[in-house]
Amino acid sequence: MNKPLDTSTIGKPEPKQQRRHQRSATGYLPEETKDGKEVWPRGDEAAWKSGIRGVEADLGSITKSIVGHVQTTLARRAYNIDEEGMYRAIAYSVRDDLIVNWNDTQMLYTRKTPKRAYYLSLEFLMGRTLDNALLNLDLKENYSKAAKTLGFEDFEELVESERDAALGNGGLGRLAACYIDSGATCELPLWGYGLRYHYGMFWQQISTDGSQVEAPDPWLNHANPWEVHRPDVSYPVRFYGHAERIGNSKAIWSGGQEVVAVAYDVPIPGSFTRNTNNLRLWDAKPKRGFDLNSFNAGDYEKAVESSNSAEALTRVLYPNDNHMVGKELRLKQQYFWVAASLADIVRRFKQLGKEFSEFPDYVAIQLNDTHPTIAVPELLRILVDEEDIPWDAAWEITQKVFAYTNHTVLPEALEKWAVPLFEHLLPRHLQIIYDINLYGILYRAP
């Protein structure tokens, strides 16, 4: 049942709340008795462990898994399964194996508490996942045999039928994909963070008059079998409003618009290793979605206005910025992605129970090109405004955490934002950028 809305709280910062679940969706440690024995968290331990599966590598188990997904995931049978359906059934079966290794990998990282690396890229050109996953798991031969047993002779045709994930379109995205692939193979605790574009690439088509036409690529129309929806991993992201300074460096940012970033995880397997890392993609949802009062009053466009405004953030990769509306959307998109990613990274660090002075010992963030550079003032905002860390200490932490990959020095490729636009959209961050400049003048000048 929904809680009644206190209208006096509209536009004010929300108090910090406990997460909705008792344990993190991506790693936790069991409680222990005084003598060091782990306590099983719920129910009968033997019953749970008897149901936990491993990677299914033999032909019989693989065939059974595929048929199971045809029957229960796709709600089909042998009479009405086609090539597209068989591809999806195989993909879900392979994803089951990836998730087994993914869960074990995250538990290992949680136990060992290594320094984690995070790769922020606006593009991830991953290529086709099925073939890559089967090669890395060394299971392609048995899956090919299973498909033939079920009546699909040309396994390569099934592999080739996969649609590319429309998460990038160039060298920037391919570099990012190579980094997280190689990180998993080298067994490094490396996660990628990006956006779940609904139309990340385009179809190039030729019209009847011979001209080239760009059409959107609706790659999610048939669902993405490789992603895991994480509705319990979500963060509010604020735009607009006003920032009121309290003290020398701290401020309260309130008002404006809030949208919710919801996580979708894609397992990234290493080659010939059980190590399986993660690519976390953010989708945008409205904080308050459907406006029933407007709908009942006949204003149907206003009823879905907030939904459309939020969901536009993850509709397209690189919105056209030839006009001011496009420039604003592109900056909103970049901040939305960076804010959700940093909130997730900080939340994971705080689970360790360490002081923020140790943050650089456990976190390294690589910025792929100029798009995520708003992460620098955003981390400062989190440290100063939310964690009450003095400016000097926060700036020292920030400098130690970030690294940057530069892709070009051409002026036309470097992003620039008009100050009035930046101040309107991210008022607190402009204050912080001014503070960074002032800090450099006062303390770094010769």
Side-chain angles (χ1 to χ4, degrees), residues 108-283:
L108 176 66
Y109 291 163
T110 303
R111 289 182 183 276
K112 298 293 185 180
T113 63
K115 183 172 184 176
R116 291 175 179 251
Y118 301 99
Y119 197 83
L120 271 61
S121 178
L122 206 56
E123 295 185 44
F124 285 94
L125 193 57
M126 301 304 299
R128 290 171 177 153
T129 304
L130 178 57
D131 199 37
N132 181 66
L134 288 174
L135 290 172
N136 286 352
L137 291 168
D138 197 21
L139 292 176
K140 186 171 182 178
E141 183 178 353
N142 276 357
Y143 267 90
S144 178
K145 291 178 180 178
K148 290 178 181 178
T149 301
L150 297 173
F152 292 84
E153 295 292 332
D154 193 342
F155 186 70
E156 289 302 323
E157 184 177 345
L158 292 176
V159 171
E160 291 295 324
S161 70
E162 178 180 350
R163 299 186 68 166
D164 284 296
L167 302 174
N169 60 19
L172 189 80
R174 189 60 212 142
L175 174 70
C178 290
Y179 268 130
I180 60 172
D181 271 340
S182 58
T185 297
C186 295
E187 301 183 348
L188 301 175
L190 170 64
W191 276 33
Y193 280 102
L195 289 176
R196 184 178 179 263
Y197 303 108
H198 293 229
Y199 305 99
M201 294 196 293
F202 61 87
W203 279 342
Q204 179 177 316
Q205 298 176 338
I206 305 299
S207 67
T208 54
D209 63 0
S211 61
Q212 177 179 303
V213 178
E214 295 179 4
D217 178 13
W219 72 289
L220 290 174
N221 276 5
H222 296 285
N224 177 15
W226 303 104
E227 66 185 11
V228 180
H229 183 201
R230 298 284 193 186
D232 57 329
V233 181
S234 62
Y235 301 96
V237 178
R238 184 183 303 277
F239 302 105
Y240 311 113
H242 58 276
E244 180 183 354
R245 287 188 182 269
I246 49 173
N248 293 329
S249 56
K250 190 174 179 179
I252 296 177
W253 183 20
S254 59
Q257 175 195 23
E258 281 189 301
V259 299
V260 177
V262 181
Y264 287 77
D265 288 345
V266 180
I268 305 297
S271 181
F272 298 102
T273 172
R274 292 193 63 202
N275 192 78
T276 303
N277 286 338
N278 193 47
L279 171 60
R280 177 157 285 178
L281 305 173
W282 300 107
D283 205 353

Side-chain angles (χ1 to χ4, degrees), residues 38 42 170 335:
E38 292 183 357
R42 176 168 298 176
Y335 176 67

Side-chain angles (χ1 to χ4, degrees), residues 43-60:
D44 183 70
E45 181 177 356
W48 273 97
K49 289 187 173 180
S50 66
I52 295 176
R53 53 160 287 181
V55 173
E56 295 178 339
D58 64 277
L59 181 58

Side-chain angles (χ1 to χ4, degrees), residues 82-95:
D82 56 9
E83 282 75 10
E84 189 270 336
M86 178 53 62
Y87 158 75
R88 291 175 61 196
I90 292 172
Y92 282 119
S93 175
V94 175
R95 191 194 74 166

Side-chain angles (χ1 to χ4, degrees), residues 22-24 26-32 38-39 41 106-113 351-352:
Q22 294 179 353
R23 297 175 298 278
S24 162
T26 57
Y28 65 92
L29 290 177
E31 296 180 0
E32 295 182 350
E38 292 183 357
V39 178
Q106 305 318 310
M107 177 61 82
L108 176 66
Y109 291 163
T110 303
R111 289 182 183 276
K112 298 293 185 180
T113 63
Q351 287 182 330
L352 301 177

